[in-house]
Amino acid sequence: MNQEITIVKIGGAFLEDQILLESFYTSFSELKGRKILIHGGGQRASKLSRELGITPKMVDGRRITDVRSLEVVTMVYAGWANKKLVSGLQGQGCNALGLSGADADLIRARKRPVSEIDFGFVGDVERVQTTALIRLLDAGFTPVFCALTHDGNGQLLNTNADSIAASLAIALSASYSTKLIYCFEKEGVLRDVNDPESVISEIDRYAFEALRKSGDIATGMIPKLFNSFKALEEGVGQVCIGSVGLLSGNAPKFTQIIL
């Protein structure tokens, strides 16, 4: 059996709640084996945008990114959020290394073509440079990726962190037994967004489409679920959505994604 690796993506709420964040630092640092962290920082990016007079625009949980918005997300994601997480993990003895997809050409993307919606400088992952990434893991580093990639021609691209997490998990599944965890402030995917106890224990594509059509699913959850199914279809061993307790195996409730 291949060596195990855990890919963890955290929601932006962690970065805004110090108590939640400290709990995450401890649980993630104690997670055994090789691991990678992916984060966004959308809440802070939206807040800073408004302070700068830029109105954030979202479609199905994805940010439309013009030139000014790209400057904001670069400052927040690659700067404030990434270094906050790296320093916090270092404080717990986890040898974290902050990265974007542009660093060492680790994640290359293509600018999303304009169709019904022009997302601007938004990228869709084309490839992951697994050889270099595995070397970093072999050297004892824990990569911490922000939600930025590049196109290989000098252009940074805002790229959904859920998609980056799935792409990393898929790319590494050829070398490792991979587990993908989408970790956020709720216990899992909720049947009723207003009822924190309404956690759905398992979701397949049929259940997802039903929830999506009925509107009984939070908009920000849609990219997570699309990417969850893609990851399973392309070789990832397990995908879960839930709270910090998932990392320590102490989550009373969580959502398992199944095909």
Side-chain angles (χ1 to χ4, degrees):
M1 181 181 290
N2 290 336
Q3 188 175 7
E4 293 183 357
I5 189 167
T6 306
I7 318 301
V8 179
K9 188 269 176 177
I10 57 168
F14 282 78
L15 290 158
E16 305 298 333
D17 185 330
Q18 194 61 33
I19 294 174
L20 190 60
L21 191 56
E22 292 295 339
S23 174
F24 173 77
Y25 287 150
T26 301
S27 296
F28 184 81
S29 297
E30 292 177 351
L31 192 61
K32 302 298 182 185
R34 298 185 175 197
K35 53 201 172 189
I36 296 175
L37 176 62
I38 303 93
H39 68 89
Q43 290 186 32
R44 183 60 62 100
S46 294
K47 179 175 181 290
L48 180 57
S49 292
R50 293 186 186 97
E51 290 172 355
L52 295 172
I54 304 166
T55 302
K57 297 177 182 178
M58 309 289 289
V59 176
D60 286 338
R62 298 178 187 269
R63 185 181 303 270
I64 293 176
T65 309
D66 59 15
V67 172
R68 293 184 71 198
S69 297
L70 182 62
E71 291 176 351
V72 172
V73 298
T74 301
M75 287 187 284
V76 173
Y77 298 172
W80 174 77
N82 192 262
K83 299 316 166 192
K84 182 179 179 70
L85 288 166
V86 168
S87 60
L89 290 172
Q90 288 288 353
Q92 292 285 334
C94 177
N95 197 12
L97 176 66
L99 297 164
S100 73
D103 294 296
D105 194 22
L106 287 169
I107 307 173
R108 192 173 291 197
R110 67 182 179 281
K111 187 173 179 289
R112 185 173 299 170
V114 177
S115 55
E116 293 132 8
I117 299 165
D118 183 357
F119 280 93
F121 293 101
V122 166
D124 296 309
V125 176
E126 281 193 317
R127 66 152 179 80
V128 174
Q129 227 282 50
T130 54
T131 301
L133 185 54
I134 289 170
R135 285 177 181 165
L136 291 173
L137 292 163
D138 286 344
F141 294 110
T142 294
V144 178
F145 281 97
C146 68
L148 292 169
T149 59
H150 76 131
D151 67 356
N153 295 305
Q155 180 63 57
L156 284 172
L157 295 167
N158 180 18
T159 303
N160 182 269
D162 296 328
S163 299
I164 290 176
S167 295
L168 288 168
I170 290 166
L172 291 168
S173 64
S175 303
Y176 299 94
S177 175
T178 52
K179 181 176 183 179
L180 174 59
I181 297 176
Y182 289 112
C183 187
F184 71 139
E185 69 277 11
K186 307 292 185 184
E187 295 293 334
V189 181
L190 304 179
R191 190 174 300 278
D192 177 354
V193 294
N194 298 311
D195 180 4
E197 298 300 315
S198 64
V199 177
I200 304 169
S201 59
E202 288 186 345
I203 293 182
D204 58 15
R205 279 195 177 275
Y206 177 81
F208 167 55
E209 289 301 332
L211 288 165
R212 191 177 174 215
K213 287 177 182 176
S214 67
D216 291 330
I217 189 169
T219 303
M221 188 59 66
I222 292 172
K224 287 182 179 60
L225 289 167
F226 272 126
N227 284 292
S228 295
F229 292 121
K230 180 182 178 183
L232 288 173
E233 289 167 352
E234 297 194 33
V236 174
Q238 186 179 5
V239 182
C240 302
I241 300 175
S243 66
V244 173
L246 270 172
L247 304 183
S248 58
N250 294 323
K253 297 179 181 179
F254 65 92
T255 302
Q256 179 89 33
I257 309 304
I258 59 175
L259 290 177

